[in-house]
């Protein structure tokens, strides 16, 4: 069983040995291994049961180190890095040969980010390699936002979980690439599109295709609970729900239904708070003795767009 602790030296020892360690970030917990060591990277894919066509994000702690891993940083990428790193932003950049093809699933770009979490930044500073880290959940399931979530699912498979508390943001990083100089969002996430546009002007959104996903985090069914999860408007939820249903709601309760299994993402209607609670509440409802879970959309602005994206994927609808 994995040890849960805050011992950075211990975590570094495991990583230096080619083993995997779960690490906290401001978005979700990552399942980390030496990104330059193919066998460590292979064990990430095996531990997560992740298909090898789904590439990993490489985490580092400085732009100086990043230059060892990428061929160039386009002007717009540099602007975004300066504005938002460390933070919930992943950039797709042309990779250097030092990054194994296994990390990028054979693509010539590598996904990189500097996460904003004090423990993990200190961990990275003491390592002489970057960390490849997908979210620390079995492939397809809800991402973990606490050390306990990681332990529940991968505790038997890894030696150490670095405990950095509950993730502040709670949904994955926003992935940004550059196609013919056009800033393109590959995955909505913890950095709002509007905030990115304030820095680089208008961006385009990559439409997803589940048959040939550019970013398989864009697969239709992802971040999904084990129980059936239905996204409906409130009046449909009211007529469909029964005593064996759970409810994932935005900011106010459903009238006439027992509140025991109603969870409000943000009673004060704050999208940041809703993002922070999303995965933990979905996971908690999934663990209750219920037959199904009903959810509703949140306002489709700022972080609400990423929340709605995750809700749709949890419900496997377009
Ligand atoms: O917030 C996050 O990004 C978290 C924390 C741990 O950093 N990580 C995370 O990793 O969400 P993961 O593996 O669950 O999602 C990474 C996504 C996948 O959808 C993958 O397809 C996409 O990044 N990706 C990675 N490299 C790519 C590339 N070169 N081109 C396009 N998409 C890429
Ligand atoms: Mg993931």
């Amino acid at each position: 069983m994995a040890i849960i602790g805050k011992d950075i030296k211990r975590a570094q020892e495991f990583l230096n040995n080619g083993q995997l360690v779960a690490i906290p970030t401001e978005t979700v917990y990552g399942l980390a291994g030496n990104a330059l060591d193919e066998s460590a990277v292979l064990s990430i894919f095996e531990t997560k049961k992740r298909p090898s066509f789904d590439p990993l994000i490489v985490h580092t702690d400085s732009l100086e180190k990043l230059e060892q891993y990428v061929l160039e940083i386009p002007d717009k990428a540099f602007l975004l890095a300066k504005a938002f790193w460390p933070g919930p932003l992943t950039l797709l950049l042309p990779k250097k040969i030092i990054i194994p093809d296994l990390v990028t699933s054979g693509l010539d770009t590598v996904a990189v980010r500097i996460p904003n979490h004090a423990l993990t930044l200190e961990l990275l500073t003491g390592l002489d390699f970057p960390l490849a880290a997908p979210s620390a959940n079995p492939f397809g399931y809800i991402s973990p936002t606490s050390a306990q979530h990681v332990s529940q699912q991968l505790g038997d498979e890894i030696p150490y979980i670095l405990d950095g508390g509950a993730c502040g943001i709670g949904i994955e990083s926003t992935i940004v690439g550059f196609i013919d100089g056009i800033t393109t969002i590959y995955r909505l996430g913890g950095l709002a599109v509007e905030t990115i546009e304030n820095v680089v002007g208008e961006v385009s959104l990559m439409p997803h295709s589940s048959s040939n996903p550019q970013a398989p985090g864009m697969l239709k069914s992802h971040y999904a609970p084990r129980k059936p999860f239905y996204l409906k408007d409130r009046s449909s939820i009211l007529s469909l729900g029964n005593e064996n249903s759970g409810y994932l709601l935005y900011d106010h309760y459903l009238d006439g239904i027992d509140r025991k299994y109603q969870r409000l993402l943000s009673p004060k209607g704050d999208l940041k708070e809703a993002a922070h609670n999303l995965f933990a509440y979905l996971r908690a409802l999934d663990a209750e003795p219920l037959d199904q879970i009903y959810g509703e959309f949140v306002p489709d602005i700022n972080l609400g767009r990423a929340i709605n994206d995750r809700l749709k994927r949890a419900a496997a609808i377009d």
Side-chain angles (χ1 to χ4, degrees):
M1 199 62 191
I3 299 161
I4 302 182
K6 296 180 193 302
D7 187 344
I8 291 177
K9 286 270 171 312
R10 188 107 192 251
Q12 283 164 344
E13 275 167 30
F14 285 118
L15 292 163
N16 281 322
N17 272 331
Q19 288 174 280
L20 307 186
V21 167
I23 57 166
T25 82
E26 78 282 32
T27 58
V28 300
Y29 274 71
L31 177 64
N34 180 350
L36 308 183
D37 171 357
E38 286 206 19
S39 79
V41 174
L42 196 59
S43 63
I44 295 176
F45 281 99
E46 285 168 359
T47 304
K48 240 191 102 97
K49 302 197 170 45
R50 176 175 176 124
S52 60
F53 60 74
D54 191 356
L56 305 178
I57 297 176
V58 170
H59 299 68
T60 188
D61 64 314
S62 73
L63 281 172
E64 292 68 42
K65 286 188 186 170
L66 180 66
E67 282 170 8
Q68 301 168 30
Y69 316 132
V70 302
L71 290 171
E72 55 152 354
I73 305 178
D75 290 348
K76 281 184 178 160
F78 191 74
L79 278 176
L80 290 171
K82 282 281 170 207
F84 301 118
W85 276 349
L89 166 74
T90 292
L91 296 174
L92 302 177
L93 300 173
K95 83 176 193 75
K96 280 189 176 163
I97 207 132
I98 186 174
I99 300 290
D101 287 337
L102 195 55
V103 170
T104 63
S105 304
L107 297 172
D108 54 14
T109 54
V110 58
V112 286
R113 87 178 188 99
I114 301 182
N116 188 15
H117 192 292
L119 272 187
T120 290
L121 286 171
E122 196 181 330
L123 175 80
L124 285 162
T125 304
L127 293 172
D128 52 18
F129 47 82
L131 292 174
S135 51
N137 51 289
F139 185 69
Y141 194 65
I142 305 163
S143 301
T145 52
S146 74
Q148 288 68 31
H149 294 166
V150 179
S151 172
Q152 282 157 19
Q153 288 177 317
L154 298 178
D156 290 338
E157 328 254 341
I158 55 176
Y160 200 75
I161 300 171
L162 190 61
D163 186 357
C167 300
I169 290 181
I171 48 178
E172 298 83 352
S173 60
T174 303
I175 302 181
V176 178
F178 305 91
I179 301 172
D180 302 328
I182 298 169
T183 310
T184 306
I185 309 286
Y186 281 65
R187 175 178 73 181
L188 295 166
L191 184 66
V193 173
E194 292 89 333
T195 312
I196 292 174
E197 287 185 328
N198 285 339
V199 174
V200 289
E202 207 181 320
V203 301
S204 75
L205 288 194
M206 168 75 86
H208 83 276
S209 138
S210 20
S211 54
N212 181 23
Q214 289 288 329
M218 305 300 282
L219 285 173
K220 210 166 71 169
S221 172
H222 213 94
Y223 316 106
R226 309 268 183 239
K227 293 192 200 315
F229 177 65
Y230 305 105
L231 266 177
K232 303 277 177 197
D233 58 44
R234 289 177 80 89
S235 62
S236 310
I237 294 178
L238 272 172
S239 60
L240 291 166
N242 58 28
E243 65 278 11
N244 299 322
S245 308
Y247 305 90
L248 188 66
L249 306 165
Y250 180 43
D251 61 353
H252 60 287
Y253 290 107
L254 292 162
D255 289 333
I257 289 188
D258 189 345
R259 291 190 176 176
K260 182 166 177 210
Y261 295 125
Q262 297 193 46
R263 296 282 175 284
L264 299 186
L265 290 172
S266 173
K268 61 175 189 277
D270 178 279
L271 289 167
K272 275 193 175 161
E273 182 179 50
H276 172 80
N277 290 328
L278 176 70
F279 288 144
Y281 286 9
L282 193 53
R283 193 178 271 270
L285 285 172
D286 205 24
E288 297 287 357
L290 300 166
D291 291 341
Q292 65 267 318
I293 305 166
Y294 290 99
E296 65 174 347
F297 285 115
V298 304
D300 204 40
I301 49 160
N302 293 312
L303 283 190
R305 292 169 73 172
I307 296 171
N308 288 337
D309 171 82
R310 299 303 187 273
L311 288 170
K312 280 193 246 175
R313 288 175 210 290
I317 57 172
D318 281 317

